[in-house]
Amino acid sequence: MDIFSIILWPIKWAIELILVAFHSLWTFLGLDPDAGITWVLAIVGLVIVVRAALIPIFVRQIKSQRRMLEVAPQLKKIQDKYKGKKDQFSREAMSRETMELYKRTGTNPLSSCLPLLLQMPIFFGLFSVLNDASIHAERGGVGALTPTLADSFSNAEFLGAPLNSTFINEWNAMIAGNPYDLSTMLVAVTMIILMTASQFITQLQIVSKNMSPETKASPMFRQQRILLYLLPLVFAFSGVAFPLGVMFYWLVSNFWTMGQQFIVIRNMPTPGSEAAKAREARLARKGKLVVEPPKEAADDVAKKPTTQRSQPVSKNRAKKQNRK
């Protein structure tokens, strides 16, 4: 057993437990235990469990993005300081000052990728579960996946395409003149398009709606622009090699991310962004917008004397008051 298999073993064990639990639930509710839709819904259940467990990480990601907004002007100053300087010493100094700023403020420009990176072991674990189920159906999986369930999982089909099949395998068979499954290729291409589109829309929501003008003028904006086009390409090129079961997980996870991001941008937008202005407009139409006074005005009110100024009096009235 190689080191990669040792690392994946506990992950595969947890994946099999969750899959079997949801498969038992859908079977109890009347679905065919060997039907592809039953196993697809079990994969959807796996997505729900994993993404719910990642919600605290997502909250930390939002907080880190807020801190990135705060340091955006400082990043811009560092960038302007070394603008036009292309020598190695200047580049190293700029990189060093930028990293010191990240360390001092507790920010991380790659925080937006953290939920995706944490899910990568799940992708590979599910890939291994599907692969092992088709190869070793007679002995089952490493955990709750019995031989009977492993055989059912490996032979399950959705829209006529086996869940353990890949686009690249069918493509290679077609090129070699061997029998191939056209339905598998069509389903795989459709899912790759949906995965790429959903990932692009999710990143576009952040770049176009949830960034302030200060952030758009900082190096962080360029990084987000790169991710806008890079991540969908990663999904497109890697999707051809993943089994359909793994792509179902990937697609449902993308939909979860897209919906989660929409809710956050709508209700907790970045201050100064287009989404924040849209939220203020919605609250104003409903009469729920609370406008806070500027900080300077609030300080002036706090410093204002509370005692009333004495009214001026005439000399005769002052003499009468003194006699009293």
Side-chain angles (χ1 to χ4, degrees), residues 57-298:
I57 303 296
F58 180 76
V59 173
R60 289 180 60 186
Q61 173 191 348
I62 295 298
K63 292 181 179 179
S64 179
Q65 290 175 345
R66 293 290 190 269
R67 288 195 295 267
M68 285 298 298
L69 171 65
E70 295 173 359
V71 303
Q74 300 177 56
L75 286 174
K76 185 66 168 56
K77 289 180 180 179
I78 295 176
Q79 182 186 27
D80 293 340
K81 179 180 178 181
Y82 296 96
K83 186 176 181 180
K85 299 179 181 180
K86 298 182 180 181
D87 59 284
Q88 184 177 357
F89 178 79
S90 297
R91 289 198 301 267
E92 291 177 354
M94 179 178 175
S95 177
R96 184 171 58 253
E97 291 184 24
T98 302
M99 295 307 297
E100 289 176 355
L101 176 63
Y102 288 151
K103 184 177 180 180
R104 186 171 66 253
T105 57
T107 53
N108 184 358
L110 299 179
S111 61
S112 59
C113 300
L114 188 58
L116 178 62
L117 294 177
L118 291 177
Q119 286 189 89
M120 292 308 296
I122 306 298
F123 296 149
F124 291 115
L126 184 57
F127 177 90
S128 183
V129 168
L130 275 166
N131 189 57
D132 291 350
S134 61
I135 297 175
H136 307 294
E138 69 278 358
R139 63 179 175 83
V142 300
L145 203 64
T146 64
T148 301
L149 290 173
D151 182 69
S152 174
F153 194 22
S154 63
N155 293 313
E157 295 184 356
F158 183 76
L159 299 178
L163 293 180
N164 63 347
S165 59
T166 65
F167 175 87
I168 194 65
N169 287 342
E170 301 302 325
W171 176 265
N172 290 336
M174 182 182 68
I175 296 299
N178 298 325
Y180 63 94
D181 189 352
L182 181 60
S183 61
T184 297
M185 298 178 68
L186 293 176
V187 172
V189 168
T190 301
M191 293 187 64
I192 290 173
I193 293 174
L194 290 175
M195 286 192 307
T196 304
S198 59
Q199 183 65 41
F200 181 80
I201 292 172
T202 301
Q203 290 298 121
L204 186 62
Q205 283 181 333
I206 300 174
V207 173
S208 64
K209 297 181 180 180
N210 204 36
M211 284 192 173
S212 66
E214 293 82 5
T215 305
K216 290 183 178 180
S218 71
M220 179 185 174
F221 182 68
R222 289 200 298 272
Q223 295 170 356
Q224 290 288 349
R225 293 284 297 185
I226 293 173
L227 290 176
L228 174 64
Y229 299 102
L230 179 61
L231 288 181
L233 288 177
V234 171
F235 278 83
F237 284 104
S238 60
V240 299
F242 282 105
L244 294 183
V246 176
M247 285 202 286
F248 271 112
Y249 177 95
W250 212 329
L251 179 61
V252 176
S253 182
N254 275 3
F255 285 149
W256 175 294
T257 302
M258 189 164 56
Q260 186 173 251
Q261 195 71 56
F262 175 80
I263 293 173
V264 170
I265 292 176
R266 180 177 175 82
N267 298 292
M268 294 182 294
T270 300
S273 64
E274 293 296 327
K277 295 176 182 177
R279 182 174 182 270
E280 291 176 358
R282 289 196 306 270
L283 293 176
R285 287 195 298 267
K286 297 178 181 179
K288 297 180 180 180
L289 181 62
V290 178
V291 180
E292 297 182 358
K295 187 177 184 299
E296 293 80 3

